[in-house]
mmCIF file of all heavy atoms in Angstrom:
data_model
loop_
_atom_site.group_PDB
_atom_site.id
_atom_site.type_symbol
_atom_site.label_atom_id
_atom_site.label_comp_id
_atom_site.label_asym_id
_atom_site.label_seq_id
_atom_site.Cartn_x
_atom_site.Cartn_y
_atom_site.Cartn_z
ATOM 1 N N ALA A 395 21.625 -8.652 -26.181
ATOM 2 C CA ALA A 395 22.524 -9.013 -27.208
ATOM 3 C C ALA A 395 22.796 -7.856 -28.144
ATOM 4 O O ALA A 395 23.935 -7.614 -28.548
ATOM 5 C CB ALA A 395 21.875 -10.188 -28.069
ATOM 6 N N ARG A 396 21.668 -7.006 -28.386
ATOM 7 C CA ARG A 396 21.925 -5.797 -29.156
ATOM 8 C C ARG A 396 22.970 -4.944 -28.587
ATOM 9 O O ARG A 396 23.864 -4.307 -29.168
ATOM 10 C CB ARG A 396 20.601 -5.134 -29.494
ATOM 11 C CG ARG A 396 20.648 -3.996 -30.332
ATOM 12 C CD ARG A 396 19.268 -3.281 -30.433
ATOM 13 N NE ARG A 396 19.108 -2.607 -29.119
ATOM 14 C CZ ARG A 396 19.483 -1.502 -28.761
ATOM 15 N NH1 ARG A 396 20.411 -0.835 -29.469
ATOM 16 N NH2 ARG A 396 19.147 -1.022 -27.550
ATOM 17 N N VAL A 397 22.607 -4.659 -27.148
ATOM 18 C CA VAL A 397 23.451 -3.737 -26.379
ATOM 19 C C VAL A 397 24.985 -4.237 -26.328
ATOM 20 O O VAL A 397 25.889 -3.392 -26.649
ATOM 21 C CB VAL A 397 22.978 -3.545 -24.976
ATOM 22 C CG1 VAL A 397 23.987 -2.754 -24.259
ATOM 23 C CG2 VAL A 397 21.630 -2.831 -24.992
ATOM 24 N N SER A 398 25.151 -5.549 -26.316
ATOM 25 C CA SER A 398 26.427 -6.216 -26.274
ATOM 26 C C SER A 398 27.182 -5.906 -27.681
ATOM 27 O O SER A 398 28.294 -5.555 -27.671
ATOM 28 C CB SER A 398 26.331 -7.611 -25.963
ATOM 29 O OG SER A 398 27.604 -8.250 -25.966
ATOM 30 N N ARG A 399 26.372 -6.078 -28.848
ATOM 31 C CA ARG A 399 27.013 -5.805 -30.093
ATOM 32 C C ARG A 399 27.443 -4.421 -30.218
ATOM 33 O O ARG A 399 28.506 -4.013 -30.705
ATOM 34 C CB ARG A 399 25.916 -6.215 -31.166
ATOM 35 C CG ARG A 399 25.716 -7.642 -31.267
ATOM 36 C CD ARG A 399 25.068 -7.955 -32.626
ATOM 37 N NE ARG A 399 23.669 -7.263 -32.755
ATOM 38 C CZ ARG A 399 22.638 -7.892 -32.291
ATOM 39 N NH1 ARG A 399 22.640 -9.111 -31.749
ATOM 40 N NH2 ARG A 399 21.453 -7.189 -32.399
ATOM 41 N N GLU A 400 26.575 -3.366 -29.694
ATOM 42 C CA GLU A 400 26.797 -2.085 -29.805
ATOM 43 C C GLU A 400 28.119 -1.730 -28.967
ATOM 44 O O GLU A 400 28.879 -0.969 -29.438
ATOM 45 C CB GLU A 400 25.709 -1.161 -29.210
ATOM 46 C CG GLU A 400 24.483 -1.325 -30.216
ATOM 47 C CD GLU A 400 23.279 -0.314 -29.719
ATOM 48 O OE1 GLU A 400 23.415 0.185 -28.670
ATOM 49 O OE2 GLU A 400 22.327 -0.112 -30.493
ATOM 50 N N ARG A 401 28.256 -2.345 -27.790
ATOM 51 C CA ARG A 401 29.375 -2.065 -27.066
ATOM 52 C C ARG A 401 30.634 -2.632 -27.647
ATOM 53 O O ARG A 401 31.730 -2.004 -27.589
ATOM 54 C CB ARG A 401 29.237 -2.684 -25.629
ATOM 55 C CG ARG A 401 28.154 -1.972 -24.804
ATOM 56 C CD ARG A 401 28.104 -2.531 -23.367
ATOM 57 N NE ARG A 401 27.298 -1.604 -22.529
ATOM 58 C CZ ARG A 401 27.027 -1.898 -21.270
ATOM 59 N NH1 ARG A 401 27.593 -2.893 -20.682
ATOM 60 N NH2 ARG A 401 26.245 -1.156 -20.571
ATOM 61 N N GLU A 402 30.440 -3.859 -28.316
ATOM 62 C CA GLU A 402 31.648 -4.437 -29.020
ATOM 63 C C GLU A 402 32.051 -3.601 -30.156
ATOM 64 O O GLU A 402 33.223 -3.336 -30.293
ATOM 65 C CB GLU A 402 31.245 -5.782 -29.449
ATOM 66 C CG GLU A 402 32.383 -6.667 -29.977
ATOM 67 C CD GLU A 402 31.997 -7.986 -30.373
ATOM 68 O OE1 GLU A 402 30.918 -8.412 -30.053
ATOM 69 O OE2 GLU A 402 32.941 -8.733 -30.947
ATOM 70 N N GLU A 403 31.106 -2.906 -30.916
ATOM 71 C CA GLU A 403 31.459 -2.066 -31.963
ATOM 72 C C GLU A 403 32.282 -0.888 -31.401
ATOM 73 O O GLU A 403 33.062 -0.273 -32.089
ATOM 74 C CB GLU A 403 30.156 -1.726 -32.806
ATOM 75 C CG GLU A 403 29.604 -2.958 -33.463
ATOM 76 C CD GLU A 403 28.152 -2.575 -34.078
ATOM 77 O OE1 GLU A 403 27.800 -1.394 -33.881
ATOM 78 O OE2 GLU A 403 27.488 -3.500 -34.821
ATOM 79 N N ALA A 404 31.667 -0.345 -30.353
ATOM 80 C CA ALA A 404 32.247 0.885 -29.793
ATOM 81 C C ALA A 404 33.587 0.555 -29.303
ATOM 82 O O ALA A 404 34.688 1.355 -29.494
ATOM 83 C CB ALA A 404 31.373 1.437 -28.571
ATOM 84 N N LEU A 405 33.877 -0.611 -28.721
ATOM 85 C CA LEU A 405 35.143 -0.999 -28.287
ATOM 86 C C LEU A 405 36.186 -1.160 -29.547
ATOM 87 O O LEU A 405 37.339 -0.795 -29.444
ATOM 88 C CB LEU A 405 35.192 -2.274 -27.538
ATOM 89 C CG LEU A 405 34.642 -2.242 -26.044
ATOM 90 C CD1 LEU A 405 34.533 -3.527 -25.415
ATOM 91 C CD2 LEU A 405 35.571 -1.239 -25.245
ATOM 92 N N ASP A 406 35.664 -1.730 -30.599
ATOM 93 C CA ASP A 406 36.479 -1.875 -31.824
ATOM 94 C C ASP A 406 36.852 -0.530 -32.269
ATOM 95 O O ASP A 406 38.059 -0.288 -32.723
ATOM 96 C CB ASP A 406 35.709 -2.561 -32.839
ATOM 97 C CG ASP A 406 35.553 -4.060 -32.463
ATOM 98 O OD1 ASP A 406 36.256 -4.610 -31.687
ATOM 99 O OD2 ASP A 406 34.519 -4.750 -33.163
ATOM 100 N N ARG A 407 35.913 0.509 -32.243
ATOM 101 C CA ARG A 407 36.324 1.751 -32.723
ATOM 102 C C ARG A 407 37.378 2.429 -31.726
ATOM 103 O O ARG A 407 38.301 3.178 -32.224
ATOM 104 C CB ARG A 407 35.175 2.692 -32.887
ATOM 105 C CG ARG A 407 34.253 2.498 -34.033
ATOM 106 C CD ARG A 407 33.085 3.346 -34.001
ATOM 107 N NE ARG A 407 32.067 2.826 -33.145
ATOM 108 C CZ ARG A 407 30.886 3.420 -33.032
ATOM 109 N NH1 ARG A 407 30.564 4.579 -33.739
ATOM 110 N NH2 ARG A 407 29.981 3.007 -32.183
#
Side-chain angles (χ1 to χ4, degrees):
R396 184 188 65 79
V397 172
S398 177
R399 286 196 301 273
E400 290 183 353
R401 289 185 173 180
E402 186 176 354
E403 292 173 359
L405 286 172
D406 287 341
R407 283 183 281 183

